[in-house]
Amino acid sequence: MRTNQLLDAETGRSVMLAFDHGGGGAPRGGEHLPAVLDLLTASAVQGVLLGPGVSRAAGPRFAHPGAPAMITALDAPVFSDVPGGHGVVRGHRRVLSARGALAYGATAAKVLVPIGPGSAYDFADTFELVAAACEEAHEVGLPVMVEPALWGENAVHDDTVIAHSARQAWELGADMIKIHAPRETRVLGEIVERSVGPVFVLGGDPAHIRGVHRARRRVDRRGRGGRGRRPQRLGARRARPHDRRAPGRRARP
């Protein structure tokens, strides 16, 4: 039921804005937390992805009719031991319980599967973290978005890797997945057709706050549903048997 709340009832599609990138410091264009949260929670998108601490602080902003759903991260990637540093992922830790996310007002939870960490840490630890997080979330009624992220030192943006990582996410307990966009549209179509839940597609790189305003206006003009670009902005398709339409096509207003 909660998963369906993230999708447009008529199109089965969704637009989400991801603002869960503050664990390593202030993301460019997102330094002013109150202003960005006011902007995101007043938009016509279906959902907003937030980190655990910001979810706790932002909960009251979602408490109005027509507000987007809040999707809360239960984990955090570590890129550097110096705040503000970025690059390849160096660690992956669980930072919030599913019960905590539910208490903050989350409609769903999210966990990462950083692909290709190489020598940084044992990839098997991520399997254990994600599977345990999914099981715990399901016990309290929260659906889980699993995101295979090509952030490790051995990761390559390859359609085959993206397809395999999508299947891996379902095996770990995902109710929905968030993936990098394959270069071949055919591959995305196959992933959607073979999936057992919604597939969210990464829509672009983090944008400056002005880009967030532009994205919000585009979504508001079109109404709910469809696919877009992010700050981070995501588009989703519901997995439907025998649905041969081109994946990612914009929904009609």
Side-chain angles (χ1 to χ4, degrees), residues 75 92-94 111-112 124-134:
D75 60 348
H92 183 212
R93 294 290 187 272
R94 179 77 180 274
V111 286
L112 292 163
D125 291 343
T126 282
F127 272 47
E128 184 177 5
L129 183 157
V130 172
C134 289

Side-chain angles (χ1 to χ4, degrees), residues 9 11 17 32 45 57-58 62 72 78 83 89 92 97 107 141-142 145 149 155 163 184 219 221 229 232 252:
T11 66
L17 299 174
H32 198 301
V45 299
F62 288 84
T72 299
V78 179
V89 67
H92 183 212
S97 69
T107 299
L142 277 182
M145 174 186 288
E184 294 290 333
V219 174
R221 282 197 299 268
R229 297 256 168 210
Q232 187 179 23
R252 294 177 181 175

Side-chain angles (χ1 to χ4, degrees), residues 106-141:
T107 299
K110 194 203 80 164
V111 286
L112 292 163
V113 181
I115 302 298
S119 60
Y121 60 90
D122 189 344
F123 190 47
D125 291 343
T126 282
F127 272 47
E128 184 177 5
L129 183 157
V130 172
C134 289
E135 181 178 4
E136 180 187 316
H138 294 154
E139 288 175 354
V140 298

Side-chain angles (χ1 to χ4, degrees), residues 119-197:
S119 60
Y121 60 90
D122 189 344
F123 190 47
D125 291 343
T126 282
F127 272 47
E128 184 177 5
L129 183 157
V130 172
C134 289
E135 181 178 4
E136 180 187 316
H138 294 154
E139 288 175 354
V140 298
L142 277 182
V144 184
M145 174 186 288
V146 175
E147 177 186 359
L150 302 175
W151 293 347
E153 62 186 17
N154 291 340
V156 292
H157 195 292
D158 179 85
D159 284 1
T160 301
V161 172
I162 293 171
H164 282 300
S165 68
R167 174 55 183 271
Q168 193 174 70
W170 296 122
E171 296 287 356
L172 290 172
D175 300 284
M176 59 196 112
I177 61 174
K178 170 185 167 185
I179 62 172
H180 293 267
R183 291 188 170 90
E184 294 290 333
T185 304
R186 171 189 57 81
V187 176
L188 178 57
E190 291 173 351
I191 292 172
V192 170
E193 185 175 356
R194 297 169 182 175
S195 290
V196 293

